[in-house]
Amino acid sequence: MSISSNTKIKNWILGLLSKILRIMPQKFIAKMALRIIFRNSLNDVNHEIYQKDFKHLTLKVNLNLAGVKAYQIFERTKYTKKIGEFLDDADITLSIPDTSLIWDLLSGKISGFDQGRDENNNFCVFVKKQVCTAFFKKEDGKTPELLNFPEFGVIGRAKNALNLFSLPPFTGAKMEQEKIKQDDNIATLIKSMLKNSDRTSDEEYKKRFHNKVIKVNWDITGILAYQIFEENKYSYEFGKHIEDADVKLVFSDKDQVKSFLGGVYNNGNPDYNVRYKGMMLDNGSFPINVKIPLLIVYSKDPIFSPFILSRIPFIRNIVHVEGTDPTQYGAYIPVNESVAHENMLVPFVVFEHFINKASAIAYTDCPCRVHFDCKNHDHELGCMYMGDDVKKMHFFLGKSLRLATKEEALERVRMALEDGLIPIIGRAQGEAKGHNIEDTGHFLASCFCCTCCCINGKVLANGSAGMISIYQRIEGIEVSLDPTKCKGCGTCLEVCVFHGKTEIENGKAVIDQDCCLGCGRCVSACPNDALSIKITDSKFIDNLIGRVEAVVDVEPVVNVE
Ligand code: SF4
Ligand code: SF4
Ligand code: SF4
């Protein structure tokens, strides 16, 4: 039997279980889910990525699934787990409050994740669920300005996206959860919602609907209704649609209808720190999603990095951090003077090659340094992109992204090297995705990274080996240690954001050649000159350029008609 049919059967069973278990007690469901997580984690221990992920790290994880305690300890050659207890010295505690979501998760039904912090600053993973779809009336081909709609609160307007926020004094249309749970009749619930939406006596409502009329059609699992909101008037009818509505809202999932009408997704509910959010699709429809907390992470380490979660087997399997992708490649280029080419720093030689060939170049401020308000490096020396796909990027006022000439681009590389930033170059398709464009193989991404703020460094230091496999050491460069000079001071460990070393063993540093990315940072930092980076293959620059050009082409695309 093929792997894909095996996966299909597994997903089908999990999907079926998910349906059955929705009616079972939460604690029972939690225990079942924990057993599946444990068994899958055990299968993973011999996996190449597991071996790498826990080569230098022992991770102790407490799990809290809807109040059921458990723990897992991941070590290089060992895996320990138990249901019913917490570890006193766990590194992190993962809490999954809603067991219905874990089944959706394990059966692969949830594909979109979001991240953020809760009100206590704990890291949270959210899942997006589609509540309904809005279809807006076209106004000269533009998105209509829809405001002050009681069920959603204010609908604010951004460029091509709408954010829907719930308003705090949002009681009129909200129905009692208990009543909704008991009443399975959607038609009754809709009628009640229509009646309860009258807020014409509310001053806030009057202000928002001053000189405005909003007409809304509802299609709730096939049941029609409409509402008209005006400053001093509210009207509705059950069983019908109105001509010329500003928006039609279509709900197809009964569970979502109940949650929506019950106010479960409103801001006021402490369990659901959610926002209505969506993007207008080309066909004019606007899927409205809700963000629901799936996983809350409690860490005793104040600088806990969420990327560490990608090493935990059950999470790694869900987010598919599975290792090498031949279509992607990235390398750090050492700025160390000992790795020079005809008296020029290697990064300059490499960048010059690509800049001279590139059909288009754009650069941007460094989002990481801007975000962390970096005090050590220039905020403006951020990422640079080259190739035809750059022409599709969204350049608009107020954004730091701008097109550059070859001279400007080279000057920028010079400035970045002078600032002590370490360049990274290659093809990472996530970069194009992050800019909302398609990478057609003509999008070379490069960044100038620092040790303090760089998100790439944090990913490389904490992420799963599968997640970081896109980054490889340049072939033909070697980092080595002279043990006679090493005093075991540990400075090199501190500067190596990529965790290239194991630890100090017998008073000496040890370079883990499997993990070292050859950035050369430790070489410059060693106070005893014990580390060196040297060229072992004089063709290493050609090799690097060849590796990059095998996955990305920056030259103009010639269309053959
Ligand atoms: S990855 Fe590095 S260079 Fe790129 S934006 Fe972040 S800090 Fe800046
Ligand atoms: S910084 Fe130099 S001396 Fe200190 S541990 Fe590392 S290699 Fe040894
Ligand atoms: S060991 Fe040195 S050269 Fe290797 S990744 Fe770490 S800092 Fe860079």
Side-chain angles (χ1 to χ4, degrees), residues 481 485-492 504 509 526-528 530-531:
L481 173 92
K485 291 186 182 168
C486 178
K487 303 271 187 285
C489 68
T491 306
C492 51
I504 305 290
C526 174
N528 299 306
L531 288 158

Side-chain angles (χ1 to χ4, degrees), residues 398-544:
K399 246 182 110 180
S400 68
L401 184 71
R402 52 227 182 249
L403 284 166
T405 62
K406 292 186 191 300
E407 293 69 32
E408 284 168 339
L410 283 169
E411 180 54 21
R412 207 173 160 83
V413 175
R414 214 172 268 126
M415 284 163 70
L417 298 182
E418 274 170 24
D419 201 357
L421 299 167
I422 299 192
I424 180 169
I425 196 162
R427 183 188 187 199
Q429 291 177 33
E431 282 284 330
K433 221 186 246 171
H435 283 278
N436 225 353
I437 58 161
E438 189 192 355
D439 175 341
T440 62
H442 305 279
F443 194 72
L444 177 68
S446 62
C447 274
F448 299 97
C449 300
C450 49
T451 47
C452 40
C453 310
C454 181
I455 194 82
N456 258 328
K458 294 184 198 334
V459 174
L460 284 158
N462 298 288
S464 162
M467 183 182 235
I468 65 176
S469 60
I470 162 176
Y471 300 105
Q472 290 163 36
R473 179 156 41 152
I474 300 178
E475 286 157 34
I477 282 190
E478 191 182 275
V479 180
S480 49
L481 173 92
D482 180 346
T484 58
K485 291 186 182 168
C486 178
K487 303 271 187 285
C489 68
T491 306
C492 51
L493 308 192
E494 282 162 29
V495 300
C496 179
V497 286
F498 315 121
H499 290 188
K501 302 271 192 330
T502 45
E503 51 203 355
I504 305 290
E505 282 178 13
N506 303 323
K508 307 282 176 198
V510 179
I511 299 169
D512 181 345
Q513 298 292 352
D514 277 351
C515 300
C516 169
L517 284 166
C519 71
R521 190 174 289 162
C522 58
V523 178
S524 319
C526 174
N528 299 306
D529 222 7
L531 288 158
S532 58
I533 179 162
K534 53 179 184 275
I535 302 162
T536 55
D537 180 351
S538 60
K539 291 208 176 67
F540 77 100
I541 293 186
D542 293 342
N543 291 345
L544 168 65

Side-chain angles (χ1 to χ4, degrees), residues 158-206:
K159 271 248 168 248
N160 58 349
L162 294 170
N163 292 313
L164 299 97
F165 302 100
S166 302
L167 282 175
F170 184 49
T171 47
K174 203 161 134 185
M175 294 165 63
E176 288 159 36
Q177 245 323 88
E178 273 315 304
K179 200 171 137 205
I180 288 199
K181 265 192 214 151
Q182 290 155 16
D183 198 337
D184 211 28
N185 186 336
I186 297 281
T188 316
L189 296 173
I190 297 168
K191 282 181 192 160
S192 178
M193 181 268 285
L194 294 170
K195 203 170 137 223
N196 287 336
S197 289
D198 186 356
R199 298 203 296 157
T200 40
S201 56
D202 184 316
E203 282 311 308
E204 180 92 14
Y205 173 94
K206 282 186 201 292

Side-chain angles (χ1 to χ4, degrees), residues 124-391:
C124 289
V125 176
F126 297 94
V127 287
K128 279 187 243 160
K129 277 206 169 185
Q130 190 171 331
V131 181
C132 64
T133 308
F135 296 88
F136 291 96
K137 183 171 73 180
K138 289 267 176 195
E139 283 175 355
D140 306 327
K142 282 191 233 139
T143 307
E145 191 174 346
L146 240 190
L147 289 167
N148 312 328
F149 175 39
E151 263 53 55
F152 285 139
V154 170
I155 302 178
R157 188 170 170 209
K159 271 248 168 248
N160 58 349
L162 294 170
N163 292 313
L164 299 97
F165 302 100
S166 302
L167 282 175
F170 184 49
T171 47
K174 203 161 134 185
M175 294 165 63
E176 288 159 36
Q177 245 323 88
E178 273 315 304
K179 200 171 137 205
I180 288 199
K181 265 192 214 151
Q182 290 155 16
D183 198 337
D184 211 28
N185 186 336
I186 297 281
T188 316
L189 296 173
I190 297 168
K191 282 181 192 160
S192 178
M193 181 268 285
L194 294 170
K195 203 170 137 223
N196 287 336
S197 289
D198 186 356
R199 298 203 296 157
T200 40
S201 56
D202 184 316
E203 282 311 308
E204 180 92 14
Y205 173 94
K206 282 186 201 292
K207 242 188 267 162
R208 292 200 180 110
F209 282 89
H210 181 59
N211 284 338
K212 277 196 181 77
V213 179
I214 303 279
K215 296 177 189 173
V216 184
N217 275 338
W218 296 87
D219 178 340
I220 303 183
T221 59
I223 303 172
L224 309 186
Y226 73 80
Q227 290 175 304
I228 306 173
F229 302 98
E230 296 169 73
E231 183 178 348
N232 291 309
K233 199 172 156 204
Y234 165 68
S235 38
Y236 66 88
E237 196 163 350
F238 179 80
K240 268 192 177 176
H241 270 175
I242 190 167
E243 295 272 316
D244 206 28
D246 299 286
V247 63
K248 179 171 79 171
L249 294 159
V250 180
F251 288 70
S252 49
D253 183 324
K254 225 173 152 183
D255 287 342
Q256 297 300 329
V257 174
K258 287 185 152 200
S259 297
F260 174 75
L261 293 178
V264 166
Y265 293 153
N266 278 329
N267 234 2
N269 188 325
D271 292 336
Y272 290 88
N273 179 18
V274 293
R275 292 275 189 274
Y276 294 101
K277 238 181 175 179
M279 282 289 279
M280 182 71 87
L281 302 180
D282 287 346
N283 66 3
S285 69
F286 184 89
I288 294 171
N289 303 310
V290 66
K291 273 174 38 176
I292 304 170
L294 166 73
L295 184 76
I296 306 161
V297 184
Y298 303 92
S299 169
K300 59 181 184 191
D301 179 357
I303 55 162
F304 156 79
S305 166
F307 298 110
I308 205 97
L309 298 176
S310 65
R311 298 196 195 198
I312 297 173
F314 92 88
I315 294 181
R316 176 158 60 71
N317 291 331
I318 289 162
V319 292
H320 307 295
V321 188
E322 274 308 318
T324 45
D325 171 356
T327 64
Q328 306 199 77
Y329 171 78
Y332 277 85
I333 316 179
V335 277
N336 203 283
E337 277 165 25
S338 55
V339 187
H341 179 78
E342 294 174 357
N343 293 329
M344 275 165 76
L345 283 178
V346 169
F348 199 78
V349 180
V350 175
F351 272 86
E352 197 175 37
H353 170 91
F354 286 108
I355 287 171
N356 282 337
K357 279 177 133 184
S359 58
I361 308 168
Y363 55 63
T364 175
D365 289 355
C366 169
C368 311
R369 284 189 279 279
V370 170
H371 177 77
F372 293 108
D373 193 18
C374 183
K375 300 279 181 274
N376 306 322
H377 298 280
D378 191 335
H379 291 196
E380 286 188 17
L381 298 171
C383 311
M384 189 183 284
Y385 306 102
M386 294 176 231
D388 262 19
D389 288 337
V390 165
K391 296 172 190 165

